[in-house]
Amino acid sequence: MMNMMDPNMMMMMPQMMAMAQMAMSQNSAASSKKKKKATLWTEHTSPDGRTYFYHSETKQSSWSKPDELKTPSERLLSKCPWKEHKHAETGKITSTTLIPRNRLGQSQRTSLR
């Protein structure tokens, strides 16, 4: 025997789906705001126009973007043991180098201090 839905329920289905999608997007937006507020790192621009990052608790500055501010794809790229260097004007790859790692496998960051 085949189950039949109530015709009234079928008419309400699109509205219920829209409400569920709206609730999910609001929850997603709220959780992303919480993630952004959770970090103590802030992004700044130096007088010569380069981007650097500052940790308000440790007072540490870094040219490298901290993992807390990276997108998932940026985190994956940072685990890669090499880096391509592009020419500033042409955009062509000029060289590829290995990124030095410490004994824990973490890339070495340079501080602005």
Side-chain angles (χ1 to χ4, degrees), residues 12-64:
M12 292 174 49
M13 198 66 103
Q15 293 171 337
M16 291 169 48
M17 291 294 287
M19 288 173 33
Q21 287 176 341
M22 190 169 65
M24 288 188 328
S25 67
Q26 287 174 347
N27 287 342
S28 175
S31 68
S32 67
K33 284 181 184 178
K34 287 180 186 176
K35 287 180 186 175
K36 287 180 183 176
K37 290 181 182 179
T39 185
L40 296 173
W41 286 98
T42 52
E43 187 175 321
H44 301 275
T45 305
S46 67
D48 63 354
R50 295 188 297 164
T51 300
Y52 70 95
F53 303 90
Y54 177 76
H55 192 279
S56 60
E57 192 173 280
T58 64
K59 311 291 188 227
Q60 177 188 3
S61 297
S62 174
W63 293 115
S64 303

Side-chain angles (χ1 to χ4, degrees), residues 54 67 94 104:
Y54 177 76
D67 289 337
T94 57
L104 298 175

